[in-house]
Amino acid sequence: MTARIRFATPADYAAVESIENAADRLLIDRLLPEQWPPAPSGASRASEPGYVLVAEATDTGAVVGFVHVIESEKIAHLEQLSVLPEYGRRGYGRMLIDAAKDEARGRGHNRLTLRTYADIPWNAPFYSRAGFAEEAPSTDFHRKLVHVEDSLGLARYGRRVQMVAVLE
C-alpha cells in the first residue's frame, strides 16, 4: 500500500463523489435506512472554506480516498473521510487523517474536530485509534452541526459523538 496524498483538483471531483457514494454503501447496508441522500458533488465540497485531500494509489494512479476539512470560525472540522471499500483496511484512511492533521496544523489550527457514530467500528473506534477523543460540542459551529444531525434524524441509527484531535 503506497499512496500519494495531494490536494484535490477539478479532475478529481467526480471520483470524490463516487468514492463517497461507494463508502456510504457500507453504512447503508449496516443501518438499513429507508432513504440515504447521495453524496454531494466533489465540486461542492471543494467550494466550501477548507480543503479536500485525495489519496492516489501510486501503482495505478487511481484516486482511492479523500478527506474533506471545513474551516469555519477558526475551527478545522473533518467533515468527511471516505475510502473505496475495496481499498479499505490498507491504511489509506489513516494516511488521509494524518495529512488532514498536518495541513490543519500548518494553517494554524491546534485542534481538528469531527462528528460520527459512536459504535460503528470504522467510525468512532477508528478515529479513537487515530488520536481523536470524545468531547461535548462547545461552540456555535458544533451546536449547529448537532442541530443539522437532529433535523436529519441521524441519532435513530445510533449514538452520535463529537471527537477532537489535539494538534501539537
Side-chain angles (χ1 to χ4, degrees):
M1 179 278 318
T2 57
R4 180 174 81 126
I5 306 297
R6 60 176 175 76
F7 287 99
T9 67
D12 301 316
Y13 295 166
V16 164
E17 182 178 353
S18 178
I19 290 165
E20 185 172 351
N21 281 323
D24 277 358
R25 190 81 239 157
L26 296 174
L27 197 59
I28 292 165
D29 290 348
R30 184 179 182 107
L31 300 177
L32 303 173
E34 290 180 26
Q35 294 181 358
W36 196 265
S41 71
S44 69
R45 286 204 177 279
S47 71
E48 295 186 61
Y51 51 95
V52 178
L53 302 172
V54 296
E56 181 182 273
T58 53
D59 57 343
T60 64
V63 174
V64 299
F66 76 94
V67 63
H68 174 207
V69 175
I70 293 173
E71 292 175 298
S72 177
E73 302 172 19
K74 299 183 181 178
I75 294 169
H77 182 79
L78 194 159
E79 176 64 19
Q80 184 67 35
L81 171 69
S82 293
V83 174
L84 285 171
E86 60 267 31
Y87 286 87
R89 304 184 57 83
R90 296 186 196 176
Y92 292 106
R94 183 60 181 262
M95 289 174 65
L96 285 160
I97 287 173
D98 289 345
K101 287 179 180 179
D102 289 344
E103 183 63 25
R105 189 181 301 107
R107 292 175 179 226
H109 298 285
N110 58 11
R111 297 163 35 93
L112 180 63
T113 63
L114 61 86
R115 293 200 47 84
T116 194
Y117 284 104
D119 301 314
I120 304 284
W122 60 89
N123 280 196
F126 167 77
Y127 290 116
S128 180
R129 290 188 303 275
F132 288 81
E134 285 188 41
E135 72 170 6
S138 61
T139 69
D140 287 342
F141 173 82
H142 292 107
R143 285 187 287 272
K144 286 176 192 172
L145 293 177
V146 172
H147 177 72
V148 169
E149 290 176 1
D150 289 347
S151 71
L152 295 172
L154 296 185
R156 73 182 143 207
Y157 303 115
R159 185 170 66 94
R160 300 283 299 169
V161 295
Q162 181 168 307
M163 302 183 81
V164 62
V166 176
L167 308 175
E168 300 173 16

